[in-house]
Amino acid sequence: MGIFRIIIALVLTASTRAITIPSTPTWPSGRCTDKSLTRPSWILSQYKVSAGTTTFVVNNQATDPTSLSARVTCSLGKTECQSSAGGNQMRATLTTGPDGRPVISIFELWTCSDEGDRVLFTGNGSTTITSCQGTDCTSPITYLVPGTLVLPVPLTPAQPKPPSGFDAPTCASVGEKQWTISGVEYKNYTRGQCKQWYQTDQICLDNGTGTFVGKGQYLKLNVTNNAIAHEVLCSFTPTYNNINPPNPLRCTGGSFNEITLEVTWTGAAPNFQLKVEELWYCLEKPLTNAKPSVIVATGSTSLPLTCESHTGITGTADDIVTICTDPTPSHAIDGAQTAKESLPPFSLITAYPAHGGCTFDSVVNPTFFYRGMYYETNADQTLSRFTAGLTGPGFADYWFYQNKAISGSGVDTVYTCTVYYDGRPKEQHYKCTYAFNANTKTITQDKIWECRDKNPNAPLYFEGTGEFNWGVDPYSSCSKPGQNQTSCYWHDDLATLQPGIPYDIPKVTVSTVNVLPPDYGQPQVQAVEVAPVKTIRENGEWRLAEGN
């Protein structure tokens, strides 16, 4: 290529950094309420069948691990099993599944007092025994019994999905043809491809759109780990402050339960070298081994590419464009294991430590906060002006004003908090109404909020109702603008700053179906039949609602 032929060298430093195995998230001691709302489940161990009698031990994962275990005995021919003293609030049954294997079902009642309030939980779950069948056998593994809560809320918390290929028969195999490399592309631009810059290497004026090809090295390749049939696209696009790919280049992952891949790209066109390092997770023998493991392996290969260089758009001697493609459809890289660790049982498929959140706050201590309160009444005690900010477990600074009355008259007038003209789907609107008695400075509130933090695909809809006396805060200024009229506003810090004046919500009901606002003329927000309530909280205690 004459004077345009160049050798593109990557300025690299030797890297000794290897992928670090992330630590396994572990729950601190206590946290009964958080555990119950996050991973309601049981560990079933010591499963044994002798002369037709089945015995096993059950531990609730939400309660204190030092508490008594329930030792369960299931007699031949009986569905109901008997529990020891440690399981006097637990019931277990033994049935046969459609595939002929034993199925253990568990129902338990327990309480958590770690957050002050004594919260009653009930939940149930089941698991299939996969490695012990017949009248005399012993299971070599323990079993996870995932649970669904009935109280205090109807909830099946989402649990993490295990990484791709974790149960493949070849998952733990490290060696020949560990990875397949394909789709390799490399480009290098010594200058940004623009003739007229508004801001060098950032804004181009050539075509009026501001688009351009930036200076630097571009890299793209696919890496497939054949042991777990997992493919990752590794790519690097230069930016103004970062024109060369880092070494190693992190392609994906980095957190626990994620497949982590890094590549190191070295050499000069057309002869490059590629090093691959990857971390992945395995359950090596799914039917006989409950212990997962994590593996790190590495390998490298040469990548001779076909490269072509030419002058770039500016036509200057220092503007060289180099384009490289791979003449070979794919390359195989052998792997060598560099690290391996065993992980706690079921750590890949049970939720990680969590504290608080929308559902937790709604269950443990549901509270409304009011601030920025102001009202003015007419002679008949209906509202002429009104404003208040409301904060609750699943929302903050929900401001509402005097809006359309939907029922009643005088102090019994019920208003909708907000008129929905926002064009959103009706499913994204929530019932909110209020009435205000100026004589007692009491607001009667009905507000629905949504919690998705425990299961984004199955939200819970909490409805808080009650009377809240604003008069408990004496720092208000009131006047009589006219006969039988009243005007008041609150001016102290508690009533003006976030979050506001706290009030326990006396009644909270929960459903898995949203209750929409009343219809006030907008076709996108239609009234619907009230969804059946599943659970209810009154006087600080959760219980099943009538009819459930």
Side-chain angles (χ1 to χ4, degrees):
M1 297 203 177
I3 64 173
F4 300 118
R5 179 173 179 83
I6 62 171
I7 299 295
I8 307 299
L10 302 180
V11 180
L12 304 171
T13 58
S15 174
T16 58
R17 185 172 70 89
I19 292 177
T20 301
I21 295 177
S23 59
T24 305
T26 55
W27 284 87
S29 60
R31 295 276 182 91
C32 176
T33 303
D34 277 315
K35 292 175 183 176
S36 299
L37 291 171
T38 304
R39 58 161 196 182
S41 54
W42 298 264
I43 299 297
L44 191 154
S45 61
Q46 302 178 39
Y47 185 90
K48 182 179 181 180
V49 182
S50 179
T53 297
T54 301
T55 57
F56 51 88
V57 172
V58 176
N59 286 90
N60 188 326
Q61 285 210 101
T63 56
D64 188 341
T66 61
S67 61
L68 291 175
S69 300
R71 186 167 294 277
V72 180
T73 300
C74 306
S75 300
L76 182 63
K78 292 185 178 181
T79 299
E80 299 291 333
C81 305
Q82 300 297 316
S83 300
S84 64
N88 60 357
Q89 293 175 233
M90 188 200 73
R91 299 292 179 267
T93 61
L94 171 61
T95 57
T96 301
D99 57 0
R101 296 188 294 188
V103 175
I104 301 296
S105 298
I106 295 172
F107 174 86
E108 188 172 4
L109 177 151
W110 69 97
T111 60
C112 293
S113 303
D114 56 307
E115 295 295 332
D117 284 1
R118 184 173 180 270
V119 181
L120 174 67
F121 288 88
T122 61
N124 57 72
S126 62
T127 190
T128 299
I129 304 302
T130 57
S131 60
C132 179
Q133 298 183 60
T135 57
D136 289 281
C137 63
T138 299
S139 175
I141 64 174
T142 56
Y143 298 86
L144 176 69
V145 185
T148 292
L149 292 179
V150 179
L151 283 176
V153 290
L155 173 66
T156 304
Q159 304 300 305
K161 293 182 179 179
S164 175
F166 86 112
D167 57 353
T170 58
C171 182
S173 300
V174 179
E176 186 177 356
K177 297 181 180 179
Q178 187 73 41
W179 295 279
T180 298
I181 309 301
S182 61
V184 180
E185 297 180 10
Y186 172 82
K187 302 176 183 178
N188 186 74
Y189 299 84
T190 60
R191 290 188 61 179
Q193 299 302 289
C194 175
K195 292 183 178 180
Q196 184 180 1
W197 292 104
Y198 176 77
Q199 190 170 351
T200 304
D201 288 327
Q202 296 187 62
I203 301 176
C204 177
L205 298 179
D206 283 0
N207 54 14
T209 66
T211 59
F212 65 97
V213 178
K215 177 174 66 175
Q217 301 177 73
Y218 295 73
L219 178 64
K220 184 167 67 174
L221 59 117
N222 295 302
V223 181
T224 301
N225 186 329
N226 296 311
I228 54 176
H230 182 259
E231 182 177 356
V232 175
L233 171 63
C234 290
S235 63
F236 176 81
T237 299
T239 60
Y240 176 68
N241 293 316
N242 189 15
I243 63 174
N244 297 315
N247 272 300
L249 170 64
R250 173 64 59 87
C251 303
T252 187
S255 299
F256 180 80
N257 206 31
E258 293 179 344
I259 295 174
T260 301
L261 175 67
E262 290 183 349
V263 298
T264 301
W265 181 265
T266 57
N271 298 310
F272 296 98
Q273 291 79 44
L274 177 70
K275 176 184 175 183
V276 175
E277 186 173 27
E278 191 166 22
L279 174 151
W280 67 95
Y281 295 86
C282 288
L283 190 61
E284 298 177 32
K285 300 177 181 178
L287 296 182
T288 60
N289 181 8
K291 286 188 177 181
S293 60
V294 55
I295 294 172
V296 182
T298 187
S300 59
T301 189
S302 297
L303 285 178
L305 304 182
T306 298
C307 299
E308 174 269 332
S309 296
H310 60 268
T311 304
I313 190 173
T314 67
T316 61
D318 62 345
D319 183 5
I320 304 299
V321 176
T322 300
I323 307 294
C324 297
T325 58
D326 191 355
T328 305
S330 64
H331 306 264
I333 299 181
D334 296 340
Q337 182 174 296
T338 58
K340 183 176 182 179
E341 292 181 7
S342 295
L343 301 174
F346 314 114
S347 57
L348 297 179
I349 54 175
T350 53
Y352 312 138
H355 181 55
C358 181
T359 303
F360 177 94
D361 294 341
S362 302
V363 166
V364 174
N365 186 28
T367 304
F368 280 157
F369 297 83
Y370 290 95
R371 72 185 187 101
M373 301 96 75
Y374 168 80
Y375 71 88
E376 184 176 317
T377 62
N378 294 315
D380 64 354
Q381 297 296 294
T382 58
L383 295 174
S384 58
R385 299 174 68 186
F386 182 88
T387 183
L390 179 63
T391 293
F395 57 93
D397 265 3
Y398 181 91
W399 287 96
F400 54 99
Y401 307 85
Q402 189 271 322
N403 281 315
K404 182 177 180 180
I406 57 176
S407 67
S409 60
V411 296
D412 297 323
T413 303
V414 178
Y415 300 87
T416 178
C417 300
T418 304
V419 179
Y420 291 102
Y421 299 145
D422 54 11
R424 292 181 180 179
K426 61 184 181 181
E427 292 80 7
Q428 295 180 16
H429 297 147
Y430 308 103
K431 177 183 177 183
C432 180
T433 62
Y434 67 97
F436 191 80
N437 187 328
N439 297 322
T440 61
K441 297 181 180 177
T442 298
I443 185 172
T444 301
Q445 185 79 63
D446 187 341
K447 174 75 171 77
I448 285 181
W449 66 93
E450 176 187 285
C451 291
R452 290 179 175 265
D453 57 322
K454 296 303 179 184
N455 190 339
N457 297 320
L460 295 172
Y461 299 95
F462 293 81
E463 182 172 6
T465 56
E467 292 184 355
F468 307 95
N469 182 9
W470 288 357
V472 298
D473 182 348
Y475 300 106
S476 61
S477 295
C478 298
S479 61
K480 295 286 186 179
Q483 188 176 7
N484 297 324
Q485 292 180 300
T486 303
S487 175
C488 288
Y489 72 94
W490 277 256
H491 49 76
D492 60 294
D493 287 348
L494 187 61
T496 57
L497 301 179
Q498 177 71 270
I501 304 172
Y503 295 89
D504 289 341
I505 306 173
K507 182 178 179 180
V508 178
T509 55
V510 188
S511 176
T512 55
V513 180
N514 188 17
V515 179
L516 301 181
D519 176 27
Y520 22 81
Q522 295 303 306
Q524 76 271 25
V525 182
Q526 296 294 329
V528 298
E529 183 179 350
V530 175
V533 173
K534 299 298 183 182
T535 60
I536 186 170
R537 183 185 193 268
E538 290 181 301
N539 301 318
E541 298 289 337
W542 286 95
R543 60 178 172 81
L544 286 174
E546 294 182 5
N548 287 274

